Amino acid sequence: MINKKKTLLNEIKEILKSKGIKPSYQRIMVYNYIKNHINHPSVDTIFKAISGSIPTLSKTTIYNILNLFAKKGIVDTLTIDKNEVRYDFIKKAHAHFMCKICGEIYDIHLKSDVCLKDFVEGHKVEDTHVDFKGVCKECL
Amino acid sequence: MINKKKTLLNEIKEILKSKGIKPSYQRIMVYNYIKNHINHPSVDTIFKAISGSIPTLSKTTIYNILNLFAKKGIVDTLTIDKNEVRYDFIKKAHAHFMCKICGEIYDIHLKSDVCLKDFVEGHKVEDTHVDFKGVCKECL
DNA sequence: TTATAATTTGTAATCATTTCAACTCTATAA
DNA sequence: TTATAGAGTTGAAATGATTACAAATTATAA
């Protein structure tokens, strides 16, 4: 069990190094959290979740790390919620659905030509976001 | 000229009434502005633009009016820019492109099945946003 | 006209995010 | 081993968009 965890952390260490990121303990913990929590956490959510394991943790550190990860292409920055930025571990292109009632954000696996465009009307596309809002199936 | 302007304002007055909105002078001016400025203005932009004609205007009033217009389906609330909300006069469904360099937001006229969905994976869709980010043709 | 409700206004509060300077940690060189 | 430099972290303070709220103004109805 202990060995398993050690292996996991070493794996993350290697991934971060391969992306040109020095693998500090805080960065490894944030990476591990967002990799395993696909519910589009906010900075505050991540902070509360891992500050138990790192008593001295500062929220500024979470901001720093996520801004770094976004720049390095590890996380996607979702602006679907106007109150706070949400982060999404980048796997492959997918859309999002946000419930107006409960605020939950769901992944939507949709195949569409929209996500494949390199240029639209002369502008060079780097990121594509497809956001749906409405009432989720739980709240219906 | 004066008559023409008067006619325009009366037209807007009728539109607002038909949507169940009492047509105050401030509301008419905001409506007139967003109808004619398709560059996705922020609250601050709208405020600066029309405060010349209404010396006593408060920025809170712009917030109130835009929140009301959004609720009544007159404007679309764009969260593509994480720094501030942008507003878009609702005509017909279209996508947006935001330039990472200059911050400009362009309308993208794209025909896609994505915009026509009433339900996705069991969730009831009320709004659909397709947002592209990258480098615009001016900055390329 | 007077009373009542709706709207606007300005100030203050809220809250996510950024700035910044001090502190800590780690790695490397002497 | 110790000193030093650089990177990373921390917490307090600043920023800035948005909202809350209560007072002032305007419109509406009796």
Side-chain angles (χ1 to χ4, degrees):
Chain A
M1 190 55 187
I2 291 173
N3 283 338
K4 212 166 178 182
K5 187 170 181 188
K6 208 170 170 185
T7 308
L8 173 67
L9 296 192
N10 274 328
E11 263 174 40
I12 295 176
K13 218 180 247 189
E14 291 310 314
I15 294 170
L16 291 179
K17 274 193 214 167
S18 77
K19 304 241 179 199
I21 296 171
K22 203 178 278 188
S24 71
Y25 186 61
Q26 288 85 339
R27 286 167 177 175
I28 292 170
M29 294 307 275
V30 170
Y31 187 97
N32 188 44
Y33 183 85
I34 56 173
K35 184 170 178 284
N36 294 306
H37 293 80
I38 56 172
N39 56 335
H40 317 96
S42 65
V43 163
D44 195 60
T45 305
I46 299 169
F47 175 74
K48 285 187 175 126
I50 66 180
S51 60
S53 337
I54 314 173
T56 63
L57 186 65
S58 163
K59 200 178 270 189
T60 301
T61 301
I62 308 291
Y63 278 101
N64 291 338
I65 292 174
L66 288 168
N67 285 337
L68 177 68
F69 283 7
K71 206 186 304 173
K72 297 286 188 178
I74 292 172
V75 296
D76 196 6
T77 298
L78 308 187
T79 57
I80 188 172
D81 181 346
K82 72 172 176 180
N83 297 309
E84 58 183 1
V85 171
R86 303 296 203 89
Y87 292 91
D88 194 19
F89 189 74
I90 293 182
K91 291 149 301 216
K92 59 177 186 179
H94 60 274
H96 294 101
F97 177 95
M98 180 177 183
C99 179
K100 290 179 178 177
I101 311 292
C102 68
E104 183 78 23
I105 297 177
Y106 296 84
D107 277 348
I108 301 295
H109 306 284
L110 115 138
K111 350 179 198 325
S112 169
D113 53 332
V114 171
C115 309
L116 301 171
K117 293 179 184 297
D118 290 329
F119 279 86
V120 287
E121 297 179 13
H123 314 298
K124 183 167 181 291
V125 174
E126 292 173 352
D127 311 319
T128 301
H129 290 258
V130 177
D131 299 336
F132 299 100
K133 292 182 191 180
V135 183
C136 80
K137 58 181 169 187
E138 297 301 323
C139 293
L140 274 172
Chain B
M1 189 57 184
I2 291 173
N3 282 339
K4 213 166 177 183
K5 187 169 181 191
K6 209 169 169 184
T7 308
L8 173 66
L9 296 191
N10 273 328
E11 262 174 41
I12 295 176
K13 216 180 247 189
E14 290 310 314
I15 294 170
L16 291 179
K17 273 194 215 167
S18 77
K19 304 241 180 198
I21 296 170
K22 204 178 279 186
S24 71
Y25 185 62
Q26 288 87 337
R27 286 167 177 176
I28 293 170
M29 295 306 274
V30 170
Y31 187 97
N32 187 44
Y33 183 85
I34 56 173
K35 184 170 178 282
N36 293 305
H37 294 80
I38 55 172
N39 55 333
H40 318 96
S42 65
V43 163
D44 195 60
T45 305
I46 299 169
F47 175 73
K48 284 185 176 127
I50 65 180
S51 60
S53 339
I54 313 173
T56 63
L57 186 66
S58 163
K59 200 178 271 189
T60 302
T61 301
I62 307 291
Y63 277 100
N64 290 339
I65 291 174
L66 288 169
N67 285 337
L68 177 67
F69 281 7
K71 206 185 304 173
K72 295 289 187 175
I74 292 172
V75 296
D76 196 7
T77 298
L78 308 187
T79 57
I80 188 172
D81 181 346
K82 72 172 174 179
N83 297 309
E84 57 182 2
V85 172
R86 303 296 204 89
Y87 292 91
D88 194 20
F89 189 74
I90 293 181
K91 290 153 300 220
K92 59 176 187 180
H94 61 273
H96 294 100
F97 178 94
M98 180 176 183
C99 180
K100 290 179 178 177
I101 312 291
C102 68
E104 183 77 24
I105 298 177
Y106 296 84
D107 277 348
I108 301 295
H109 305 284
L110 116 137
K111 350 180 198 324
S112 169
D113 53 332
V114 171
C115 309
L116 301 172
K117 293 179 184 297
D118 290 327
F119 279 86
V120 287
E121 296 179 14
H123 313 298
K124 182 166 181 292
V125 174
E126 292 173 352
D127 312 319
T128 301
H129 290 257
V130 177
D131 299 337
F132 299 101
K133 293 182 191 180
V135 184
C136 79
K137 57 180 169 185
E138 298 300 325
C139 293
L140 275 172

